[in-house]
């Protein structure tokens, strides 16, 4: 029987991307497959801290191995903001948040609009002391208007070196270059260990 792994996220966009990345080595459960679990407070100051506290909280609450994702957009002209506060940058929808960002950057010239998406993934096993963390980054810049309809979150305003916005990529193209895709490739050996019953992280 395949081992079960909980994707410990409330974000549908992340869940869709992680499902696409993991393939069929593990049996994936989403939070929506389980009775409601109170959301942990994300009071860490780094992506790694928040990913770990989410993974540990959901692993303990369910008794399942849990993979959590903490991610966000770090904008150089804003000294790294919104960073770990990307989800809380503005009330409302993803669109409200990227519109606020475009407003904050109005008048900032192209060469100063550099930014990076960052993703920390954490795999926590219930009752085990260690949690494994892998981080991925993706460099780009903030555009002047939203473009594209794929992806989620800040994707329409994140422009890649090739000129396309992240929301103009197919899900396969995004997975190949994104912060989440990069972090996932580093996490993969640990998930394969979990699937084969070998000690994870050993
Ligand atoms: O904490 P969970 O339950 O996983 O869900 P969340 O949406 O609150 O997730 P975070 O706390 O990690 O906040 C991530 C923020 O960064 C944005 N973000 C993360 N990855 C992204 C991506 O691949 N493309 C666009 N925006 C992304 C996302 O829209 C959120 O506003
Ligand atoms: Mg969150």
């Amino acid at each position: 029987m395949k081992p079960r792994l909980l994707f410990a996220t409330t974000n549908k966009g992340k869940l869709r991307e992680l499902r696409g990345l993991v393939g069929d080595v593990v049996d994936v459960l989403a939070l929506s497959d389980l009775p409601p679990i109170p959301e942990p407070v994300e009071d860490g100051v780094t992506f790694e801290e928040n990913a770990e506290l989410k993974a540990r909280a959901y692993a303990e609450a369910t008794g399942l191995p849990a993979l959590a994702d903490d991610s966000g957009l770090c904008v150089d002209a804003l000294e790294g903001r919104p960073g770990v506060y990307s989800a809380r940058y503005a009330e409302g929808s993803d669109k409200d948040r990227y519109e606020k960002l475009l407003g904050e950057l109005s008048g900032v010239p192209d060469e100063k609009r550099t930014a990076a998406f960052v993703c920390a993934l954490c795999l926590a096993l219930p009752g085990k002391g260690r949690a494994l963390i892998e981080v991925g980054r993706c460099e780009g810049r903030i555009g002047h208007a939203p473009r594209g309809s794929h992806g989620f979150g800040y994707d329409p305003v994140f422009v890649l070196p090739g000129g396309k916005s992240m929301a103009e990529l197919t899900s396969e193209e995004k997975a190949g270059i994104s912060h989440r895709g990069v972090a996932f490739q580093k996490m993969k050996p640990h998930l394969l260990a979990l699937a084969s019953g070998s000690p994870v992280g050993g």
Side-chain angles (χ1 to χ4, degrees), residues 55-56 59-60 64-66 123-131 194 200:
R56 284 191 188 280
E60 289 317 313
L64 293 166
L123 175 64
L125 306 184
K128 297 255 171 94
R130 256 180 93 194
L194 181 72
V200 173

Side-chain angles (χ1 to χ4, degrees), residues 34-196:
L34 301 171
I37 301 164
E39 264 188 66
V41 179
E42 297 180 37
D43 56 5
V45 297
T46 63
F47 295 108
E48 290 92 330
E49 279 172 22
N50 280 335
E52 181 167 351
L53 72 84
K54 287 188 271 190
R56 284 191 188 280
Y58 286 110
E60 289 317 313
T62 61
L64 293 166
L67 183 71
D69 168 315
D70 199 64
S71 42
L73 180 59
C74 302
V75 179
D76 294 326
L78 304 178
E79 279 127 26
R81 282 191 300 118
V84 292
Y85 303 104
S86 294
R88 294 161 276 176
Y89 177 55
E91 293 282 314
S93 65
D94 285 344
K95 184 163 180 272
D96 293 312
R97 285 182 277 279
Y98 70 62
E99 283 182 346
K100 177 176 173 186
L101 179 65
L102 292 177
E104 264 207 271
L105 292 180
S106 77
V108 176
D110 279 350
E111 67 277 11
K112 294 200 174 133
R113 297 175 78 94
T114 48
F117 271 130
V118 181
C119 173
L121 291 177
C122 178
L123 175 64
L125 306 184
K128 297 255 171 94
R130 256 180 93 194
L132 293 157
I133 302 175
E134 300 291 354
V135 180
R137 278 176 74 87
C138 178
E139 308 286 337
R141 57 182 72 216
I142 306 303
H144 294 274
R147 277 194 282 132
S149 56
H150 301 287
F152 67 97
Y154 296 88
D155 283 342
V157 299
F158 188 83
V159 181
L160 294 154
K164 279 190 180 176
S165 86
M166 193 73 112
E168 291 178 307
L169 302 189
T170 64
S171 52
E172 292 76 18
E173 287 168 339
K174 180 175 174 184
I177 55 135
S178 76
H179 48 312
R180 184 163 297 105
V182 171
F184 189 84
Q185 289 312 319
K186 297 186 194 170
M187 184 56 81
K188 215 167 172 179
H190 308 310
L191 296 177
L192 290 171
L194 181 72
S196 71

